[in-house]
Amino acid sequence: GESVGLHLPTLSVQEGDNSIINCAYSNSASDYFIWYKQESGKGPQFIIDIRSNMDKRQGQRVTVLLNKTVKHLSLQIAATQPGDSAVYFCAENISNTGNQFYFGTGTSLTVIP
Amino acid sequence: EPEVTQTPSHQVTQMGQEVILRCVPISNHLYFYWYRQILGQKVEFLVSFYNNEISEKSEIFDDQFSVERPDGSNFTLKIRSTKLEDSAMYFCASSPRTGVSNGYTFGSGTRLTVV
């Protein structure tokens, strides 16, 4: 069962530094993953995705790494900016069970100017 | 850029009352979803909807909940008799077709407060 009253992991970085946000997913059958950014009062916003047949994917300033052996995802943000401050969630999808996503607990990133 | 629109942005209701949360998905999308997020917790899947019927639903989506696409543009979530624990952000999402990698867009949410 799930825990209640989850405490959100937090990460504080200096502006300009690189950020690494980690996520452990639960289901070895998951084959598609998305990192979402959620700013206060807003819905999850797509950042980058990766399929299970890949171990790395790069976007603009962001890189996602996937380690299926240990069921671990990471999001790397290069040259972090104040606008990157938000809560970041990983979400997993199991393609043969439907279109729903299962979200992780999230990490709150604070960028210090 | 197309977006999913949700109304109202904030709704306060008395316990036991019915509420309807409204969503306008992206116009060429075929799959519609509701998620909720209790304050400080993770986003949880409630239900998906395709071709005018429920595709999947979670254990959270009990008989108190229902969804409807009353016309060609709106997608609604109804909670029949709200409980205090229904207080949460409710997010609508839509995607264009099977295969979630083809675009899955969330709305900004409706904050439901049950008092």
Side-chain angles (χ1 to χ4, degrees):
Chain A
E2 291 187 8
S3 300
V4 295
L6 296 168
H7 294 286
L8 208 58
T10 59
L11 175 67
S12 295
V13 298
Q14 289 290 137
E15 181 178 358
D17 287 353
N18 298 333
S19 304
I20 299 176
I21 300 170
N22 296 302
C23 174
Y25 64 92
S26 55
N27 195 324
S28 56
S30 295
D31 54 8
Y32 180 66
F33 306 88
I34 295 181
W35 277 101
Y36 283 100
K37 173 185 180 182
Q38 187 178 27
E39 295 173 287
S40 180
K42 296 185 179 180
Q45 179 186 0
F46 175 94
I47 302 173
I48 191 168
D49 60 355
I50 189 167
R51 294 193 171 280
S52 59
N53 61 352
M54 305 169 69
D55 53 22
K56 180 179 180 178
R57 189 152 191 242
Q58 288 186 289
Q60 188 178 15
R61 279 202 309 120
V62 293
T63 301
V64 55
L65 300 178
L66 174 61
N67 184 330
K68 295 179 288 295
T69 303
V70 295
K71 299 203 287 285
H72 182 269
L73 273 171
S74 67
L75 176 70
Q76 300 176 5
I77 305 173
T80 316
Q81 301 167 0
D84 295 327
S85 294
V87 176
Y88 289 81
F89 293 93
C90 67
E92 58 187 297
N93 171 259
I94 307 166
S95 57
N96 63 359
T97 64
N99 292 348
Q100 65 269 32
F101 278 93
Y102 299 96
F103 282 73
T105 52
T107 295
S108 177
L109 174 67
T110 300
V111 181
I112 304 165
Chain B
E1 187 173 325
E3 56 182 30
V4 174
T5 305
Q6 290 186 244
T7 56
S9 57
H10 191 187
Q11 174 134 13
V12 181
T13 189
Q14 293 225 320
M15 190 169 57
Q17 295 296 304
E18 174 183 287
V19 294
I20 297 176
L21 309 183
R22 302 182 190 278
C23 170
V24 179
I26 294 174
S27 61
N28 63 348
H29 283 190
L30 302 178
Y31 289 82
F32 315 112
Y33 315 88
W34 283 101
Y35 288 77
R36 80 169 186 194
Q37 184 179 32
I38 295 171
L39 184 64
Q41 299 191 21
K42 58 185 175 181
V43 178
E44 301 172 292
F45 170 75
L46 293 178
V47 65
S48 62
F49 190 86
Y50 170 72
N51 199 27
N52 286 318
E53 60 182 26
I54 291 174
S55 305
E56 293 95 25
K57 60 182 181 178
S58 71
E59 59 187 22
I60 302 169
F61 194 87
D62 60 22
D63 292 344
Q64 291 289 93
F65 292 89
S66 62
V67 290
E68 192 177 32
R69 188 153 164 82
D71 53 43
S73 60
N74 290 285
F75 179 53
T76 62
L77 174 69
K78 182 192 292 185
I79 309 175
R80 287 188 184 81
S81 177
T82 50
K83 305 185 285 288
L84 293 176
E85 54 264 37
D86 293 327
S87 295
M89 282 289 287
Y90 288 81
F91 294 107
C92 175
S94 66
S95 64
R97 56 189 180 273
T98 301
V100 294
S101 61
N102 294 309
Y104 202 107
T105 305
F106 284 84
S108 295
T110 293
R111 178 172 297 284
L112 176 65
T113 303
V114 182
V115 296

